[in-house]
PDB file of all heavy atoms in Angstrom:
ATOM      1  N   ALA E  20     -89.950 -16.193-148.475  1.00 94.00           N
ATOM      2  CA  ALA E  20     -89.219 -16.786-149.597  1.00 94.00           C
ATOM      3  C   ALA E  20     -89.057 -15.740-150.810  1.00 94.00           C
ATOM      4  O   ALA E  20     -88.017 -15.724-151.439  1.00 94.00           O
ATOM      5  CB  ALA E  20     -89.878 -18.063-150.140  1.00 94.00           C
ATOM      6  N   ALA E  21     -90.044 -15.005-151.071  1.00 96.00           N
ATOM      7  CA  ALA E  21     -90.006 -13.976-152.126  1.00 96.00           C
ATOM      8  C   ALA E  21     -88.896 -12.975-151.803  1.00 96.00           C
ATOM      9  O   ALA E  21     -88.102 -12.611-152.735  1.00 96.00           O
ATOM     10  CB  ALA E  21     -91.361 -13.314-152.362  1.00 96.00           C
ATOM     11  N   LEU E  22     -88.845 -12.500-150.616  1.00 96.00           N
ATOM     12  CA  LEU E  22     -87.807 -11.515-150.208  1.00 96.00           C
ATOM     13  C   LEU E  22     -86.415 -12.209-150.231  1.00 96.00           C
ATOM     14  O   LEU E  22     -85.363 -11.506-150.599  1.00 96.00           O
ATOM     15  CB  LEU E  22     -88.100 -10.878-148.869  1.00 96.00           C
ATOM     16  CG  LEU E  22     -89.172  -9.891-148.786  1.00 96.00           C
ATOM     17  CD1 LEU E  22     -89.497  -9.369-147.392  1.00 96.00           C
ATOM     18  CD2 LEU E  22     -88.905  -8.700-149.709  1.00 96.00           C
ATOM     19  N   MET E  23     -86.380 -13.410-149.788  1.00 94.00           N
ATOM     20  CA  MET E  23     -85.073 -14.141-149.790  1.00 94.00           C
ATOM     21  C   MET E  23     -84.444 -14.375-151.098  1.00 94.00           C
ATOM     22  O   MET E  23     -83.289 -14.434-151.277  1.00 94.00           O
ATOM     23  CB  MET E  23     -85.209 -15.557-149.095  1.00 94.00           C
ATOM     24  CG  MET E  23     -85.537 -15.453-147.663  1.00 94.00           C
ATOM     25  SD  MET E  23     -85.981 -17.065-146.833  1.00 94.00           S
ATOM     26  CE  MET E  23     -84.352 -17.810-146.838  1.00 94.00           C
ATOM     27  N   ALA E  24     -85.312 -14.351-152.137  1.00 92.00           N
ATOM     28  CA  ALA E  24     -84.864 -14.574-153.546  1.00 92.00           C
ATOM     29  C   ALA E  24     -84.422 -13.237-154.216  1.00 92.00           C
ATOM     30  O   ALA E  24     -83.771 -13.318-155.295  1.00 92.00           O
ATOM     31  CB  ALA E  24     -85.931 -15.280-154.312  1.00 92.00           C
ATOM     32  N   THR E  25     -84.652 -12.103-153.624  1.00 91.00           N
ATOM     33  CA  THR E  25     -84.348 -10.842-154.399  1.00 91.00           C
ATOM     34  C   THR E  25     -82.887 -10.424-153.914  1.00 91.00           C
ATOM     35  O   THR E  25     -82.432 -10.699-152.889  1.00 91.00           O
ATOM     36  CB  THR E  25     -85.288  -9.712-153.996  1.00 91.00           C
ATOM     37  OG1 THR E  25     -85.185  -9.446-152.605  1.00 91.00           O
ATOM     38  CG2 THR E  25     -86.699 -10.171-154.329  1.00 91.00           C
ATOM     39  N   PRO E  26     -82.245  -9.684-154.814  1.00 89.00           N
ATOM     40  CA  PRO E  26     -80.882  -9.189-154.495  1.00 89.00           C
ATOM     41  C   PRO E  26     -80.855  -7.913-153.710  1.00 89.00           C
ATOM     42  O   PRO E  26     -79.922  -7.619-153.038  1.00 89.00           O
ATOM     43  CB  PRO E  26     -80.217  -8.874-155.910  1.00 89.00           C
ATOM     44  CG  PRO E  26     -81.434  -8.627-156.772  1.00 89.00           C
ATOM     45  CD  PRO E  26     -82.572  -9.436-156.257  1.00 89.00           C
ATOM     46  N   GLU E  27     -81.988  -7.204-153.566  1.00 90.00           N
ATOM     47  CA  GLU E  27     -82.077  -6.030-152.792  1.00 90.00           C
ATOM     48  C   GLU E  27     -82.258  -6.307-151.321  1.00 90.00           C
ATOM     49  O   GLU E  27     -82.832  -7.222-150.931  1.00 90.00           O
ATOM     50  CB  GLU E  27     -83.290  -5.142-153.221  1.00 90.00           C
ATOM     51  CG  GLU E  27     -83.288  -4.716-154.659  1.00 90.00           C
ATOM     52  CD  GLU E  27     -83.776  -5.719-155.628  1.00 90.00           C
ATOM     53  OE1 GLU E  27     -84.595  -6.561-155.225  1.00 90.00           O
ATOM     54  OE2 GLU E  27     -83.372  -5.749-156.790  1.00 90.00           O
ATOM     55  N   ILE E  28     -81.649  -5.343-150.559  1.00 91.00           N
ATOM     56  CA  ILE E  28     -81.833  -5.421-149.111  1.00 91.00           C
ATOM     57  C   ILE E  28     -82.716  -4.200-148.777  1.00 91.00           C
ATOM     58  O   ILE E  28     -82.345  -3.066-148.983  1.00 91.00           O
ATOM     59  CB  ILE E  28     -80.520  -5.341-148.319  1.00 91.00           C
ATOM     60  CG1 ILE E  28     -79.634  -6.499-148.673  1.00 91.00           C
ATOM     61  CG2 ILE E  28     -80.728  -5.281-146.870  1.00 91.00           C
ATOM     62  CD1 ILE E  28     -78.242  -6.386-148.286  1.00 91.00           C
ATOM     63  N   ILE E  29     -83.872  -4.445-148.200  1.00 93.00           N
ATOM     64  CA  ILE E  29     -84.801  -3.439-147.759  1.00 93.00           C
ATOM     65  C   ILE E  29     -84.832  -3.438-146.252  1.00 93.00           C
ATOM     66  O   ILE E  29     -85.370  -4.370-145.688  1.00 93.00           O
ATOM     67  CB  ILE E  29     -86.207  -3.608-148.400  1.00 93.00           C
ATOM     68  CG1 ILE E  29     -86.045  -3.692-149.909  1.00 93.00           C
ATOM     69  CG2 ILE E  29     -87.141  -2.430-148.006  1.00 93.00           C
ATOM     70  CD1 ILE E  29     -87.313  -4.094-150.545  1.00 93.00           C
ATOM     71  N   VAL E  30     -84.263  -2.449-145.630  1.00 95.00           N
ATOM     72  CA  VAL E  30     -84.104  -2.475-144.149  1.00 95.00           C
ATOM     73  C   VAL E  30     -85.492  -2.689-143.451  1.00 95.00           C
ATOM     74  O   VAL E  30     -85.512  -3.371-142.439  1.00 95.00           O
ATOM     75  CB  VAL E  30     -83.433  -1.147-143.661  1.00 95.00           C
ATOM     76  CG1 VAL E  30     -83.450  -1.042-142.140  1.00 95.00           C
ATOM     77  CG2 VAL E  30     -82.039  -0.992-144.195  1.00 95.00           C
ATOM     78  N   GLU E  31     -86.511  -2.064-143.997  1.00 96.00           N
ATOM     79  CA  GLU E  31     -87.834  -2.154-143.347  1.00 96.00           C
ATOM     80  C   GLU E  31     -88.523  -3.475-143.687  1.00 96.00           C
ATOM     81  O   GLU E  31     -89.616  -3.694-143.128  1.00 96.00           O
ATOM     82  CB  GLU E  31     -88.713  -0.979-143.861  1.00 96.00           C
ATOM     83  CG  GLU E  31     -88.215   0.358-143.484  1.00 96.00           C
ATOM     84  CD  GLU E  31     -87.247   0.910-144.556  1.00 96.00           C
ATOM     85  OE1 GLU E  31     -87.024   0.205-145.583  1.00 96.00           O
ATOM     86  OE2 GLU E  31     -86.649   1.920-144.310  1.00 96.00           O
ATOM     87  N   LYS E  32     -87.965  -4.377-144.467  1.00 97.00           N
ATOM     88  CA  LYS E  32     -88.554  -5.582-144.824  1.00 97.00           C
ATOM     89  C   LYS E  32     -87.558  -6.750-144.712  1.00 97.00           C
ATOM     90  O   LYS E  32     -87.066  -7.265-145.645  1.00 97.00           O
ATOM     91  CB  LYS E  32     -89.068  -5.612-146.242  1.00 97.00           C
ATOM     92  CG  LYS E  32     -90.237  -4.639-146.475  1.00 97.00           C
ATOM     93  CD  LYS E  32     -90.708  -4.707-147.929  1.00 97.00           C
ATOM     94  CE  LYS E  32     -91.943  -3.788-148.153  1.00 97.00           C
ATOM     95  NZ  LYS E  32     -92.465  -3.929-149.460  1.00 97.00           N
ATOM     96  N   PRO E  33     -87.280  -7.162-143.449  1.00 97.00           N
ATOM     97  CA  PRO E  33     -86.324  -8.241-143.239  1.00 97.00           C
ATOM     98  C   PRO E  33     -86.934  -9.563-143.834  1.00 97.00           C
ATOM     99  O   PRO E  33     -88.106  -9.751-143.904  1.00 97.00           O
ATOM    100  CB  PRO E  33     -86.246  -8.337-141.737  1.00 97.00           C
ATOM    101  CG  PRO E  33     -87.453  -7.725-141.198  1.00 97.00           C
ATOM    102  CD  PRO E  33     -87.808  -6.727-142.171  1.00 97.00           C
ATOM    103  N   GLU E  34     -86.029 -10.424-144.291  1.00 97.00           N
ATOM    104  CA  GLU E  34     -86.438 -11.656-144.937  1.00 97.00           C
ATOM    105  C   GLU E  34     -87.005 -12.712-143.965  1.00 97.00           C
ATOM    106  O   GLU E  34     -87.857 -13.566-144.360  1.00 97.00           O
ATOM    107  CB  GLU E  34     -85.283 -12.267-145.699  1.00 97.00           C
ATOM    108  CG  GLU E  34     -84.870 -11.486-146.938  1.00 97.00           C
ATOM    109  CD  GLU E  34     -84.029 -10.244-146.607  1.00 97.00           C
ATOM    110  OE1 GLU E  34     -83.570 -10.051-145.503  1.00 97.00           O
ATOM    111  OE2 GLU E  34     -84.008  -9.315-147.518  1.00 97.00           O
ATOM    112  N   LEU E  35     -86.607 -12.592-142.727  1.00 96.00           N
ATOM    113  CA  LEU E  35     -87.073 -13.550-141.654  1.00 96.00           C
ATOM    114  C   LEU E  35     -87.407 -12.854-140.357  1.00 96.00           C
ATOM    115  O   LEU E  35     -86.839 -11.863-140.042  1.00 96.00           O
ATOM    116  CB  LEU E  35     -85.925 -14.622-141.336  1.00 96.00           C
ATOM    117  CG  LEU E  35     -85.620 -15.572-142.473  1.00 96.00           C
ATOM    118  CD1 LEU E  35     -84.342 -15.086-143.124  1.00 96.00           C
ATOM    119  CD2 LEU E  35     -85.424 -16.942-141.946  1.00 96.00           C
ATOM    120  N   LEU E  36     -88.469 -13.378-139.703  1.00 98.00           N
ATOM    121  CA  LEU E  36     -88.876 -12.997-138.337  1.00 98.00           C
ATOM    122  C   LEU E  36     -88.543 -14.133-137.464  1.00 98.00           C
ATOM    123  O   LEU E  36     -88.863 -15.272-137.781  1.00 98.00           O
ATOM    124  CB  LEU E  36     -90.332 -12.598-138.339  1.00 98.00           C
ATOM    125  CG  LEU E  36     -90.802 -11.485-139.325  1.00 98.00           C
ATOM    126  CD1 LEU E  36     -92.279 -11.231-139.184  1.00 98.00           C
ATOM    127  CD2 LEU E  36     -90.026 -10.171-139.024  1.00 98.00           C
ATOM    128  N   LEU E  37     -87.977 -13.846-136.280  1.00 97.00           N
ATOM    129  CA  LEU E  37     -87.675 -14.812-135.274  1.00 97.00           C
ATOM    130  C   LEU E  37     -88.557 -14.719-134.056  1.00 97.00           C
ATOM    131  O   LEU E  37     -88.708 -13.587-133.535  1.00 97.00           O
ATOM    132  CB  LEU E  37     -86.220 -14.775-134.807  1.00 97.00           C
ATOM    133  CG  LEU E  37     -85.171 -15.318-135.827  1.00 97.00           C
ATOM    134  CD1 LEU E  37     -85.075 -14.547-137.091  1.00 97.00           C
ATOM    135  CD2 LEU E  37     -83.855 -15.420-135.156  1.00 97.00           C
ATOM    136  N   TYR E  38     -89.145 -15.830-133.668  1.00 97.00           N
ATOM    137  CA  TYR E  38     -90.155 -15.823-132.555  1.00 97.00           C
ATOM    138  C   TYR E  38     -89.592 -16.761-131.442  1.00 97.00           C
ATOM    139  O   TYR E  38     -88.926 -17.731-131.725  1.00 97.00           O
ATOM    140  CB  TYR E  38     -91.488 -16.289-133.008  1.00 97.00           C
ATOM    141  CG  TYR E  38     -92.207 -15.255-133.866  1.00 97.00           C
ATOM    142  CD1 TYR E  38     -91.977 -15.260-135.322  1.00 97.00           C
ATOM    143  CD2 TYR E  38     -93.048 -14.404-133.339  1.00 97.00           C
ATOM    144  CE1 TYR E  38     -92.600 -14.383-136.108  1.00 97.00           C
ATOM    145  CE2 TYR E  38     -93.701 -13.428-134.126  1.00 97.00           C
ATOM    146  CZ  TYR E  38     -93.498 -13.474-135.557  1.00 97.00           C
ATOM    147  OH  TYR E  38     -94.095 -12.512-136.315  1.00 97.00           O
ATOM    148  N   GLU E  39     -90.016 -16.482-130.244  1.00 96.00           N
ATOM    149  CA  GLU E  39     -89.813 -17.339-129.120  1.00 96.00           C
ATOM    150  C   GLU E  39     -91.127 -17.884-128.673  1.00 96.00           C
ATOM    151  O   GLU E  39     -92.016 -17.065-128.531  1.00 96.00           O
ATOM    152  CB  GLU E  39     -89.060 -16.479-128.003  1.00 96.00           C
ATOM    153  CG  GLU E  39     -88.889 -17.339-126.708  1.00 96.00           C
ATOM    154  CD  GLU E  39     -88.198 -16.449-125.647  1.00 96.00           C
ATOM    155  OE1 GLU E  39     -88.554 -15.280-125.497  1.00 96.00           O
ATOM    156  OE2 GLU E  39     -87.276 -17.031-125.029  1.00 96.00           O
ATOM    157  N   LYS E  40     -91.225 -19.144-128.298  1.00 91.00           N
ATOM    158  CA  LYS E  40     -92.475 -19.650-127.759  1.00 91.00           C
ATOM    159  C   LYS E  40     -92.364 -19.649-126.269  1.00 91.00           C
ATOM    160  O   LYS E  40     -91.442 -20.169-125.600  1.00 91.00           O
ATOM    161  CB  LYS E  40     -92.693 -21.102-128.262  1.00 91.00           C
ATOM    162  CG  LYS E  40     -94.028 -21.671-127.915  1.00 91.00           C
ATOM    163  CD  LYS E  40     -94.254 -23.078-128.401  1.00 91.00           C
ATOM    164  CE  LYS E  40     -94.598 -23.058-129.803  1.00 91.00           C
ATOM    165  NZ  LYS E  40     -95.002 -24.460-130.342  1.00 91.00           N
ATOM    166  N   SER E  41     -93.346 -19.078-125.651  1.00 86.00           N
ATOM    167  CA  SER E  41     -93.486 -18.966-124.204  1.00 86.00           C
ATOM    168  C   SER E  41     -93.969 -20.289-123.622  1.00 86.00           C
ATOM    169  O   SER E  41     -94.389 -21.195-124.311  1.00 86.00           O
ATOM    170  CB  SER E  41     -94.357 -17.840-123.744  1.00 86.00           C
ATOM    171  OG  SER E  41     -95.757 -18.208-124.046  1.00 86.00           O
ATOM    172  N   ALA E  42     -93.873 -20.411-122.270  1.00 85.00           N
ATOM    173  CA  ALA E  42     -94.294 -21.617-121.633  1.00 85.00           C
ATOM    174  C   ALA E  42     -95.827 -21.865-121.861  1.00 85.00           C
ATOM    175  O   ALA E  42     -96.283 -22.965-121.871  1.00 85.00           O
ATOM    176  CB  ALA E  42     -94.040 -21.504-120.154  1.00 85.00           C
ATOM    177  N   SER E  43     -96.585 -20.767-122.060  1.00 89.00           N
ATOM    178  CA  SER E  43     -97.996 -20.910-122.337  1.00 89.00           C
ATOM    179  C   SER E  43     -98.305 -21.242-123.804  1.00 89.00           C
ATOM    180  O   SER E  43     -99.446 -21.456-124.157  1.00 89.00           O
ATOM    181  CB  SER E  43     -98.733 -19.606-121.955  1.00 89.00           C
ATOM    182  OG  SER E  43     -98.359 -18.597-122.755  1.00 89.00           O
ATOM    183  N   GLY E  44     -97.273 -21.249-124.694  1.00 88.00           N
ATOM    184  CA  GLY E  44     -97.420 -21.556-126.023  1.00 88.00           C
ATOM    185  C   GLY E  44     -97.678 -20.474-127.064  1.00 88.00           C
ATOM    186  O   GLY E  44     -97.734 -20.689-128.227  1.00 88.00           O
ATOM    187  N   THR E  45     -97.622 -19.151-126.546  1.00 92.00           N
ATOM    188  CA  THR E  45     -97.759 -18.085-127.437  1.00 92.00           C
ATOM    189  C   THR E  45     -96.426 -17.780-128.066  1.00 92.00           C
ATOM    190  O   THR E  45     -95.373 -18.023-127.456  1.00 92.00           O
ATOM    191  CB  THR E  45     -98.294 -16.875-126.682  1.00 92.00           C
ATOM    192  OG1 THR E  45     -97.342 -16.453-125.684  1.00 92.00           O
ATOM    193  CG2 THR E  45     -99.677 -17.063-126.107  1.00 92.00           C
ATOM    194  N   LEU E  46     -96.431 -17.224-129.300  1.00 94.00           N
ATOM    195  CA  LEU E  46     -95.271 -16.816-130.017  1.00 94.00           C
ATOM    196  C   LEU E  46     -95.010 -15.328-129.780  1.00 94.00           C
ATOM    197  O   LEU E  46     -95.957 -14.525-129.907  1.00 94.00           O
ATOM    198  CB  LEU E  46     -95.322 -17.137-131.438  1.00 94.00           C
ATOM    199  CG  LEU E  46     -95.272 -18.588-131.842  1.00 94.00           C
ATOM    200  CD1 LEU E  46     -95.438 -18.745-133.364  1.00 94.00           C
ATOM    201  CD2 LEU E  46     -94.003 -19.278-131.419  1.00 94.00           C
ATOM    202  N   GLU E  47     -93.803 -14.949-129.401  1.00 95.00           N
ATOM    203  CA  GLU E  47     -93.449 -13.515-129.285  1.00 95.00           C
ATOM    204  C   GLU E  47     -92.254 -13.181-130.112  1.00 95.00           C
ATOM    205  O   GLU E  47     -91.246 -13.926-130.262  1.00 95.00           O
ATOM    206  CB  GLU E  47     -93.145 -13.264-127.806  1.00 95.00           C
ATOM    207  CG  GLU E  47     -94.231 -13.551-126.870  1.00 95.00           C
ATOM    208  CD  GLU E  47     -93.845 -13.282-125.414  1.00 95.00           C
ATOM    209  OE1 GLU E  47     -92.808 -12.772-125.090  1.00 95.00           O
ATOM    210  OE2 GLU E  47     -94.691 -13.791-124.559  1.00 95.00           O
ATOM    211  N   LEU E  48     -92.417 -12.081-130.924  1.00 97.00           N
ATOM    212  CA  LEU E  48     -91.295 -11.641-131.824  1.00 97.00           C
ATOM    213  C   LEU E  48     -90.151 -11.282-131.059  1.00 97.00           C
ATOM    214  O   LEU E  48     -90.330 -10.441-130.055  1.00 97.00           O
ATOM    215  CB  LEU E  48     -91.832 -10.467-132.637  1.00 97.00           C
ATOM    216  CG  LEU E  48     -90.912  -9.938-133.727  1.00 97.00           C
ATOM    217  CD1 LEU E  48     -90.630 -11.004-134.793  1.00 97.00           C
ATOM    218  CD2 LEU E  48     -91.549  -8.687-134.431  1.00 97.00           C
ATOM    219  N   VAL E  49     -88.911 -11.820-131.362  1.00 97.00           N
ATOM    220  CA  VAL E  49     -87.764 -11.463-130.600  1.00 97.00           C
ATOM    221  C   VAL E  49     -86.697 -10.820-131.449  1.00 97.00           C
ATOM    222  O   VAL E  49     -85.769 -10.055-130.971  1.00 97.00           O
ATOM    223  CB  VAL E  49     -87.131 -12.697-129.888  1.00 97.00           C
ATOM    224  CG1 VAL E  49     -88.092 -13.171-128.720  1.00 97.00           C
ATOM    225  CG2 VAL E  49     -86.851 -13.829-130.843  1.00 97.00           C
ATOM    226  N   ALA E  50     -86.641 -11.088-132.729  1.00 97.00           N
ATOM    227  CA  ALA E  50     -85.579 -10.592-133.657  1.00 97.00           C
ATOM    228  C   ALA E  50     -86.015 -10.617-135.067  1.00 97.00           C
ATOM    229  O   ALA E  50     -87.001 -11.264-135.427  1.00 97.00           O
ATOM    230  CB  ALA E  50     -84.322 -11.415-133.454  1.00 97.00           C
ATOM    231  N   ILE E  51     -85.200  -9.953-135.895  1.00 97.00           N
ATOM    232  CA  ILE E  51     -85.316 -10.074-137.367  1.00 97.00           C
ATOM    233  C   ILE E  51     -84.024 -10.631-137.947  1.00 97.00           C
ATOM    234  O   ILE E  51     -82.976 -10.628-137.219  1.00 97.00           O
ATOM    235  CB  ILE E  51     -85.677  -8.688-137.996  1.00 97.00           C
ATOM    236  CG1 ILE E  51     -84.544  -7.664-137.680  1.00 97.00           C
ATOM    237  CG2 ILE E  51     -87.019  -8.242-137.594  1.00 97.00           C
ATOM    238  CD1 ILE E  51     -84.759  -6.307-138.364  1.00 97.00           C
ATOM    239  N   GLU E  52     -84.169 -11.168-139.099  1.00 96.00           N
ATOM    240  CA  GLU E  52     -82.926 -11.664-139.762  1.00 96.00           C
ATOM    241  C   GLU E  52     -82.939 -11.207-141.222  1.00 96.00           C
ATOM    242  O   GLU E  52     -83.891 -11.395-141.949  1.00 96.00           O
ATOM    243  CB  GLU E  52     -82.904 -13.161-139.652  1.00 96.00           C
ATOM    244  CG  GLU E  52     -81.684 -13.773-140.350  1.00 96.00           C
ATOM    245  CD  GLU E  52     -81.552 -15.244-140.145  1.00 96.00           C
ATOM    246  OE1 GLU E  52     -82.348 -15.903-139.357  1.00 96.00           O
ATOM    247  OE2 GLU E  52     -80.783 -15.907-140.876  1.00 96.00           O
TER     248      GLU E  52
END
């Protein structure tokens, strides 16, 4: 939320991380937003 509120875009610090939940229940990073 802190990054989402700033006007700057920092390529190395995306505001959101997107995960996929596997059949076993673990979360795996799939994308940034």
Side-chain angles (χ1 to χ4, degrees):
L22 287 175
M23 290 172 73
T25 65
E27 298 84 27
I28 300 169
I29 304 169
V30 174
E31 300 85 7
K32 293 183 178 182
E34 289 76 18
L35 294 101
L36 301 177
L37 282 68
Y38 291 86
E39 175 180 45
K40 188 180 279 188
S41 71
S43 66
T45 61
L46 291 176
E47 297 177 13
L48 185 62
V49 293
I51 59 175
E52 182 177 346

